[in-house]
Amino acid sequence: MEKRGPVLHIVVVGFHHKKGCQVEFSYPPLKPGEGHDSHSLPEEWKYLPFLALPDGAHNYQEDTVFFHLPPRCGGRTTVYGVSCYRQIEAKALKVRQADITRETVQKSVCVLSQLPLYGLLQAKLQLITHAYFEEKDFSQISILKELYDHMNSSLGSTSLEGSQVYLGLSPRDLVLHFRHKVLILFKLILLEKKVLFYISPVNRLVGALMTVLSLFPGMIEHGLSDCSQYRPRKSISEDAGLQENTPRLDDYASVSAADASNANLGMGKGDRKMAGNNSLEGPKANVPFSQPEKTCNGAQSSNGTVQRLKVPSRASPASSESDWETLDPSVLEESNLKEGEHENPASEPAENLRSKGVSSEGLPITVQPQANTGHTVLVQGLVSGLEEDQYGMPLAIFTKGYLCLPYMALQQHHLLSDVSVRGFVAGATNILFRQQKHLSDAIVEIEDAHVQIHDPELRKILNPTTADLRFSDYLVKHVTENRDDVFLDGTGWEGGDEWIRAQFSAYLHALLAAVLQPDNEKILSDFGTAFVTAWKNTHNYRVWNSNKHPALAEVNSSHPFQGQYSVSDVKLRLSHSVQNSERGKKIGNVMVSTSRNVVQTGKAVGQSVGGAFTSAKSAMSSWFSTFTQSTQSLGD
């Protein structure tokens, strides 16, 4: 069988004045046997037109969208989409089709890929989209076919290690904008909460959301393969029975609907051992490319049962543990036992790891961690199904119904309340998403750097400790001190993008190492006792804890910024309190406003009085200089 490259399709989506958003061209065709100009879509990808051509796009001349599609039948992993949108005046076209009746023509060119190379795909796609529009004749599709061939030849040997994965994602800009709230966003996702990002246009939305995810070690490279396991809303009545009887999370399980529960319950030790052996063939240098295009016809028969889906070679979450709602710790313990039987490299003694070329020294987890060298040895996680390093990274956050949707179309709104979706990190530009606060735990308004957390208890859990405040202050100071350095531009080490990611990697590794220590209450209190307790109840922690990670024994198990309480901590705490409560913010504004008015009055009374009040105003302004950097509250 011909080997495919990472790019599955090049697709053009246009806006039709009567039909709305629709696919106008696809290469290769989205459905086997159809023509390149077919408008029909696979059922799993029915939202593709609305993702590629975003809501409100007519307000912008151009925009970029990152989006995720569920795997098609026979596919195993998320399909990563990058779309470049542009509009052009109809009168500028050399060839104007009869169905063009509006003054402007709106189209998107998008790439559907099996590799999460968002920024790299965007850079290539923007050039081609510009050239495609410059032709002023949208029937000239040869450039799109050439794009498909070029991308597959140039990206075919691309490894998901190194800085190209993070192209266009700037933690430096994120810290400059959100400041200390970046750590709160980090912890929100660790707790697997329902987090909604909101801003227009879409390129600012997806950039901020994916940059937050890039702070998690290995997440973008290997942690999103199960992040879009959802079933689109059906309009066929006969499908209702299937939805009632089969958990939607098991769509990708290789059994029929009637046998799904029996297969999960009947999987014995031999079956699990076979799945484990199949998934541990050895570390892979490059991500294997699946074949979702092959014969998806008939995947669902007339009676609503799933037919002959290919068994995934890895142990999928559906086959290695029970459904997320009834996750039994004993299942994880049993998987842990099986891993020992399989001689999983991730749980071997340190001396064996050394003999295989894996350094037992690991990364020195300090406030100056080492940069990623790009030579991490990965193994298949038996429970998570993800490619993991020796520390168990990436954490299995985006699995078992916890979705990552960088951009959500309005047509996907029902997913926020879907019973098979246990949580999400999603981005939206439509105000309807933001107005329905009951569907999320937190709304992140990117424009104002405002993190709105609805539940008072969750706000308490996420209230930063003194050590956390030191960590955040350390990041902000190093980034802001170098912000005017024209030679830095996010590419330097200290205060740069890689440096910030290394700090969060150090933080997370220290947290994981601390959890493994006996009598660790004092150590964990630096991370937040309530937070750690809540985190231990999450799916990602239980999956991570089901395996052994001996490499963490080499990691410093204390908070990177632990230490005795000092006067500077008092100032940090006071600054945080004023920045992150409406009452404190109002008091600060009133005091500054009052001092301004009094100074003006003092000038009218006399120069000496005015001078005195000017000094008072100067002192007040200095005191609140750190407060005014953050204009929105974490709380109400």
Side-chain angles (χ1 to χ4, degrees):
M1 181 178 293
E2 181 183 355
K3 182 180 178 181
R4 287 188 184 275
V7 175
L8 301 175
H9 301 277
I10 303 294
V11 181
V12 176
V13 174
F15 183 81
H16 191 275
H17 67 285
K18 290 183 179 179
K19 302 175 183 177
C21 298
Q22 64 177 12
V23 171
E24 298 179 345
F25 169 84
S26 59
Y27 181 80
L30 292 176
K31 298 181 74 172
E34 300 274 357
H36 296 313
D37 57 352
S38 172
H39 301 315
S40 61
L41 288 163
E43 183 62 29
E44 300 92 339
W45 293 354
K46 64 184 294 184
Y47 300 128
L48 171 59
F50 311 105
L51 295 168
L53 197 60
D55 186 38
H58 60 278
N59 295 318
Y60 303 95
Q61 282 299 115
E62 55 185 302
D63 203 356
T64 302
V65 188
F66 301 159
F67 59 91
H68 293 157
L69 292 173
R72 293 180 59 183
C73 56
R76 297 176 292 166
T77 64
T78 297
V79 174
Y80 307 95
V82 176
S83 172
C84 286
Y85 158 83
R86 292 193 66 168
Q87 60 176 319
I88 188 174
E89 291 186 355
K91 63 183 181 182
L93 294 175
K94 294 178 182 177
V95 178
R96 181 167 176 169
Q97 284 86 0
D99 59 354
I100 298 178
T101 60
R102 296 195 170 195
E103 294 182 356
T104 59
V105 178
Q106 301 165 11
K107 294 186 188 295
S108 287
V109 181
C110 61
V111 174
L112 302 183
S113 169
Q114 295 180 95
L115 293 180
L117 298 170
Y118 305 96
L120 192 60
L121 294 174
Q122 176 188 355
K124 293 176 178 290
L125 189 57
Q126 281 179 330
L127 294 174
I128 297 301
T129 302
H130 178 77
Y132 182 54
F133 271 74
E134 285 299 307
E135 290 280 346
K136 297 181 172 59
D137 179 4
F138 294 120
S139 64
Q140 299 297 318
I141 57 175
S142 59
I143 190 174
L144 302 177
K145 295 180 178 179
E146 291 171 5
L147 173 64
Y148 174 82
D149 295 331
H150 166 72
M151 282 194 165
N152 275 325
S153 62
S154 63
L155 300 177
S157 59
T158 300
S159 172
L160 285 180
E161 305 292 340
S163 59
Q164 63 183 348
V165 175
Y166 302 119
L167 184 65
L169 305 178
S170 175
R172 179 176 168 79
D173 291 341
L174 188 76
V175 172
L176 283 171
H177 188 59
F178 281 94
R179 301 179 72 82
H180 67 279
K181 296 175 187 175
V182 174
L183 183 58
I184 293 169
L185 296 176
F186 188 80
K187 284 189 166 185
L188 264 172
I189 297 173
L190 268 179
L191 293 180
E192 297 176 351
K193 295 301 179 182
K194 298 178 178 180
V195 185
L196 181 71
F197 287 72
Y198 177 83
I199 199 176
S200 289
V202 182
N203 67 81
R204 294 184 63 190
L205 174 75
V206 297
L209 188 152
M210 297 308 299
T211 300
V212 173
L213 297 190
S214 75
L215 301 177
F216 290 84
M219 185 61 73
I220 297 220
E221 300 95 315
H222 308 290
L224 301 178
S225 58
D226 276 342
C227 75
S228 61
Q229 296 282 1
Y230 65 85
R231 172 176 296 176
R233 175 173 282 175
K234 302 278 188 176
S235 57
I236 304 173
S237 58
E238 63 215 28
D239 186 64
L242 179 63
Q243 293 189 29
E244 291 174 4
N245 297 326
T246 308
R248 296 184 184 182
L249 296 174
D250 292 336
D251 288 352
Y252 47 91
S254 54
V255 292
S256 68
D259 296 335
S261 59
N262 294 336
N264 284 334
L265 293 174
M267 177 175 279
K269 295 182 179 179
D271 298 319
R272 280 214 179 101
K273 188 169 184 178
M274 183 181 298
N277 289 336
N278 287 339
S279 66
L280 287 172
E281 294 174 353
K284 300 179 180 63
N286 296 316
V287 174
F289 303 129
S290 60
Q291 304 284 340
E293 265 57 54
K294 57 184 179 183
T295 320
C296 285
N297 300 332
Q300 195 159 346
S301 65
S302 58
N303 63 1
T305 57
V306 180
Q307 298 179 339
R308 297 190 303 276
L309 298 186
K310 182 181 177 182
V311 180
S313 63
R314 64 181 176 85
S316 69
S319 63
S320 61
E321 55 181 314
S322 60
D323 194 44
W324 65 266
E325 291 179 311
T326 56
L327 182 59
D328 185 353
S330 65
V331 175
L332 301 180
E333 291 168 6
E334 188 174 353
S335 297
N336 189 21
L337 179 61
K338 298 297 178 294
E339 289 166 15
E341 296 173 1
H342 300 152
E343 296 181 354
N344 184 353
S347 59
E348 290 181 9
E351 56 270 17
N352 291 345
L353 288 173
R354 278 194 294 271
S355 67
K356 293 189 176 185
V358 182
S359 172
S360 64
E361 296 178 1
L363 299 175
I365 304 303
T366 66
V367 294
Q368 295 290 346
Q370 299 297 313
N372 185 1
T373 60
H375 300 293
T376 307
V377 176
L378 302 171
V379 296
Q380 200 85 34
L382 289 178
V383 179
S384 70
L386 305 176
E387 298 274 347
E388 299 176 355
D389 66 12
Q390 66 267 38
Y391 303 105
M393 301 291 104
L395 294 175
I397 296 174
F398 295 101
T399 59
K400 299 297 282 183
Y402 190 77
L403 305 182
C404 174
L405 303 172
Y407 172 69
M408 280 190 76
L410 190 58
Q411 289 77 6
Q412 295 176 299
H413 184 270
H414 67 280
L415 292 176
L416 301 186
S417 54
D418 194 313
V419 294
S420 69
V421 175
R422 63 188 178 93
F424 53 81
V425 176
T429 59
N430 195 300
I431 196 171
L432 292 177
F433 285 93
R434 187 180 67 171
Q435 289 174 339
Q436 297 187 314
K437 298 180 180 179
H438 64 285
L439 296 178
S440 63
D441 296 312
I443 296 178
V444 182
E445 296 189 34
I446 299 172
E447 181 69 43
D448 303 318
H450 183 193
V451 183
Q452 185 178 10
I453 299 173
H454 314 315
D455 181 13
E457 286 302 315
L458 181 56
R459 284 203 296 270
K460 290 180 182 177
I461 289 173
L462 292 171
N463 192 37
T465 64
T466 299
D468 280 349
L469 287 176
R470 293 172 186 158
F471 174 76
S472 299
D473 188 58
Y474 179 76
L475 292 178
V476 172
K477 282 183 176 178
H478 276 73
V479 170
T480 53
E481 284 174 1
N482 296 317
R483 66 182 305 175
D484 297 326
D485 188 344
V486 295
F487 298 104
L488 183 63
D489 193 27
T491 59
W493 175 238
E494 189 162 324
D497 291 336
E498 289 297 326
W499 180 86
I500 294 170
R501 277 190 281 266
Q503 302 305 314
F504 278 92
S505 177
Y507 183 95
L508 187 55
H509 283 81
L511 172 61
L512 295 172
V515 168
L516 298 177
Q517 299 301 312
D519 302 323
N520 56 8
E521 291 81 4
K522 178 62 175 70
I523 301 174
L524 293 178
S525 66
D526 285 329
F527 295 96
T529 303
F531 164 75
V532 174
T533 301
W535 177 54
K536 284 185 175 181
N537 288 323
T538 63
H539 175 80
N540 73 80
Y541 172 79
R542 293 161 77 176
V543 170
W544 175 84
N545 195 45
S546 69
N547 198 359
K548 295 196 182 337
H549 307 285
L552 283 171
E554 308 292 333
V555 172
N556 185 359
S557 60
S558 59
H559 194 292
F561 285 85
Q562 65 155 354
Q564 296 295 322
Y565 203 72
S566 66
V567 175
S568 61
D569 294 324
V570 177
K571 182 180 178 181
L572 272 177
R573 177 64 63 184
L574 179 59
S575 173
H576 177 266
S577 298
V578 173
Q579 290 178 27
N580 292 284
S581 70
E582 286 297 328
R583 181 178 299 175
K585 194 171 63 174
K586 288 176 181 177
I587 291 174
N589 291 337
V590 167
M591 292 180 71
V592 172
S593 176
T594 301
S595 67
R596 185 183 304 115
N597 294 334
V598 170
V599 167
Q600 293 172 354
T601 304
K603 286 181 179 179
V605 173
Q607 185 66 33
S608 60
V609 177
F613 280 114
T614 300
S615 300
K617 177 176 180 287
S618 176
M620 186 66 68
S621 299
S622 175
W623 179 254
F624 282 100
S625 62
T626 56
F627 303 162
T628 56
Q629 298 295 331
S630 178
T631 59
Q632 295 295 327
S633 70
L634 169 66
D636 300 330

